[in-house]
Amino acid sequence: MTVLKNLQIFIYVGLAALLSWWLVQLNEERDAEMKIAENSPDFFSLGYFKKEMNIDGVPKSELAAEKMQHFKADGSTHLEKPVMTLYNPNQMPWLIKADSGVMAADGDNLQLNGSAYINREASKTNSALTINTSDLRVKLASHYAETQAWAEIISPPNKTAGVGMEATFVSPIHLKLLSKVKGRYEIK
């Protein structure tokens, strides 16, 4: 009788261990599913457009992209082929294009990755201006941008290049190359 009782206890302990192991496996699968869900986009858009106006209803900036994905985990917005337009009163707008970008959750800090192209068309008071660079950080509220990468400023027929750049796109407009600056200038 005691052998049968010992066998019964052994079977109960074995079943309890098997049940515990199964519950641990089930919980690990659920954790893996949650981690995948946390790191995936919570919404996306093909053809994204955002326009910001000032208090008087005058356009301040526009942001467009071929594709947008918003990530819940950090609140960031990832953009493919973003195009940003920054407006200034009585001046031509600044157009900034890049390969990709990431907008921080605060909605003010935009990291433009890969090649970045900045352009302002000529007007009666300003000449045309083109800037070629990469990996540009933009603060939208202040219309400020900076990079540590090589940058080239072209205002035909003049060309200036250097490493690192700071730019302010509102009056007074300020473009500053930080190091290894070289230029080619023509007198008209």
Side-chain angles (χ1 to χ4, degrees):
M1 185 84 168
T2 59
V3 173
L4 187 58
K5 197 170 192 178
N6 286 342
L7 184 60
Q8 206 175 20
I9 291 172
F10 181 72
I11 290 173
Y12 286 137
V13 169
L15 286 174
L18 188 60
L19 180 63
S20 297
W21 173 81
W22 179 73
L23 288 173
V24 167
Q25 294 299 319
L26 185 64
N27 193 33
E28 286 178 0
E29 287 178 15
R30 182 179 293 154
D31 287 346
E33 288 176 11
M34 289 180 147
K35 286 180 183 176
I36 291 169
E38 288 175 3
N39 292 332
S40 51
D42 56 347
F43 61 90
F44 72 95
S45 173
L46 298 176
Y48 173 76
F49 182 79
K50 172 188 165 188
K51 188 173 209 168
E52 183 182 0
M53 311 282 237
N54 68 14
I55 198 164
D56 299 321
V58 176
K60 186 176 177 181
S61 67
E62 291 178 3
L63 178 60
E66 287 183 10
K67 183 178 179 182
M68 177 276 294
Q69 292 181 319
H70 182 270
F71 289 81
K72 184 178 182 178
D74 62 359
S76 66
T77 303
H78 294 242
L79 307 165
E80 288 184 19
K81 301 209 183 305
V83 177
M84 170 164 280
T85 306
L86 301 173
Y87 293 98
N88 288 314
N90 306 319
Q91 293 184 6
M92 295 300 288
W94 290 91
L95 187 69
I96 305 172
K97 296 180 181 182
D99 295 332
S100 66
V102 179
M103 175 78 73
D106 64 9
D108 187 39
N109 293 297
L110 177 63
Q111 174 67 44
L112 296 174
N113 302 316
S115 298
Y117 169 81
I118 304 168
N119 185 51
R120 182 191 66 195
E121 297 293 327
S123 67
K124 292 178 184 176
T125 56
N126 297 312
S127 60
L129 192 65
T130 301
I131 303 170
N132 296 310
T133 189
S134 60
D135 301 328
L136 193 64
R137 290 176 303 282
V138 181
K139 301 259 317 154
L140 299 176
S142 59
H143 287 196
Y144 172 81
E146 65 182 8
T147 184
Q148 296 301 315
W150 171 86
E152 173 183 57
I153 301 172
I154 303 167
S155 182
N158 305 317
K159 184 187 292 187
T160 308
V163 176
M165 179 188 73
E166 295 176 349
T168 305
F169 300 110
V170 292
S171 292
I173 293 170
H174 178 74
L175 301 173
K176 179 179 176 183
L177 294 171
L178 303 177
S179 66
K180 299 181 184 176
V181 179
K182 297 178 182 179
R184 186 192 72 188
Y185 306 98
E186 295 181 20
I187 299 173
K188 293 181 183 182

